[in-house]
Amino acid sequence: MTSSSSNSAALTVLRASGVDHKTFLQGQLTQDIQLLSEDRPAMLAASCDAKGRVLAVLTVVHDPEGTLIVIRSDIADDWIETVLRYRLRAKVDIDTVQDRAIHRNDLDTPGLFELTQQAGTPAPLRWRVGDSVEHIAKAIGDPFEYSTARRHRLLAGIAEPGPLTVGKFTPHMLGLQHQNAISFNKGCYTGQEIVARTEHLGAAKRGPIIIASNDGSTLIEGTNVLADDKKLGVIASAEDSLAIAVVNLGVDDALSTADGRALRRV
């Protein structure tokens, strides 16, 4: 995976197309994309490897010309290359979309973003990233400011792993079962056995917490989080001084980074 020392990452809009693309995505994502429709135009989902580790947290959007996939730009190319290894004979393509752009959200729109055609006579396609984040729907500035939107998503508990943290966590470690991002009723998908076993056994020993640096300094994905000078977990997703860390559950000690910066739970 491409490495980076920065958390700054824009969003890329992809389109999955081809006669087999829905069947293909159904076999790769944690959500039941067959439920996408005009009535449910978007959903949060994860893509996992065979060991049930998250390769990407995605927003999947209903679109007449295929299925749109919103993903962090800094992992998009690697994710496409990895997931298409499972294509075999399926007729599916995943490409960057040039005729769509991410715009600010209106106050009366549920969700954190909207997609609209740049050329634009059709009405904007407004969508949400999961029922659990509707309460923080608000205007996030125009022009679109990705860092502001990412902070809103982090505060809603949505972790989007980047180049340094892809493949390190299961969906349950990221709390995606609480974000309406996993269907436990659909058929098999890559990594499904691990995800289902964790859910049914209640065996997750690590989970997400929202943290911030006390001094306002930037937190870096992949940084160890300590409690009483012992490793408690790892920062999975971050934007500026705000982050979601995956930690051992049940520890309430004071937190810090490996370089000694104090952290607080948000």
Side-chain angles (χ1 to χ4, degrees):
M1 297 292 177
T2 305
S3 63
S4 171
S5 60
S6 172
N7 301 324
S8 296
L11 291 172
T12 290
V13 182
L14 309 175
R15 179 181 284 118
S17 59
V19 295
D20 299 324
H21 86 270
K22 286 191 175 180
T23 301
F24 175 78
L25 291 178
Q26 188 76 342
Q28 295 301 318
L29 304 184
T30 57
Q31 258 291 10
D32 187 352
I33 69 157
Q34 302 291 352
L35 300 178
L36 281 175
S37 66
E38 292 184 0
D39 293 329
R40 188 177 181 183
M43 56 180 62
L44 196 67
S47 168
C48 299
D49 64 17
K51 296 181 180 179
R53 301 282 168 151
V54 173
L55 299 175
V57 173
L58 314 164
T59 303
V60 190
V61 184
H62 173 70
D63 183 71
E65 300 177 22
T67 299
L68 299 181
I69 300 167
V70 184
I71 185 173
R72 279 181 58 155
S73 298
D74 52 2
I75 65 170
D77 290 343
D78 284 347
W79 179 76
I80 293 172
E81 180 181 353
T82 299
V83 79
L84 286 182
R85 293 173 187 166
Y86 295 94
R87 176 167 49 183
L88 301 177
R89 297 181 180 178
K91 295 180 179 179
V92 56
D93 291 301
I94 303 176
D95 302 292
T96 302
V97 177
Q98 302 297 333
D99 64 342
R100 298 272 179 169
I102 297 167
H103 291 263
R104 72 176 180 84
N105 214 22
D106 296 324
L107 284 169
D108 60 351
T109 303
L112 297 179
F113 310 104
E114 66 184 30
L115 295 177
T116 185
Q117 292 187 347
Q118 288 178 332
T121 51
L125 173 63
R126 295 186 172 96
W127 49 278
R128 60 192 184 204
V129 294
D131 293 342
S132 60
V133 301
E134 287 188 32
H135 64 286
I136 61 168
K138 60 179 64 177
I140 58 173
D142 191 2
F144 175 81
E145 294 183 4
Y146 176 69
S147 62
T148 303
R150 251 175 77 73
R151 290 180 65 85
H152 288 168
R153 287 162 76 86
L154 289 168
L155 287 170
I158 298 175
E160 299 168 288
L164 298 178
T165 51
V166 159
K168 295 185 179 297
F169 312 107
T170 66
H172 283 80
M173 292 178 192
L174 296 176
L176 292 176
Q177 74 276 21
H178 302 307
Q179 297 289 348
N180 196 24
I182 307 173
S183 170
F184 297 103
N185 300 315
K186 62 175 283 187
C188 295
Y189 55 89
T190 302
Q192 182 262 347
E193 182 178 353
I194 304 299
V195 177
R197 183 187 306 148
T198 303
E199 175 70 11
H200 295 311
L201 294 179
K205 298 180 180 179
R206 288 186 285 172
I209 59 171
I210 304 171
I211 59 173
S213 57
N214 281 353
D215 61 2
S217 59
T218 298
L219 297 175
I220 303 298
E221 294 169 353
T223 300
N224 288 339
V225 173
L226 309 182
D228 194 23
D229 294 327
K230 296 180 181 179
K231 181 180 177 181
L232 181 67
V234 177
I235 293 176
S237 185
E239 182 65 33
D240 298 327
S241 61
L242 187 68
I244 291 178
V246 174
V247 301
N248 297 333
L249 298 175
V251 177
D252 294 322
D253 295 340
L255 305 179
S256 66
T257 59
D259 59 4
R261 286 178 292 160
L263 303 170
R264 69 179 187 277
R265 289 175 171 84
V266 176

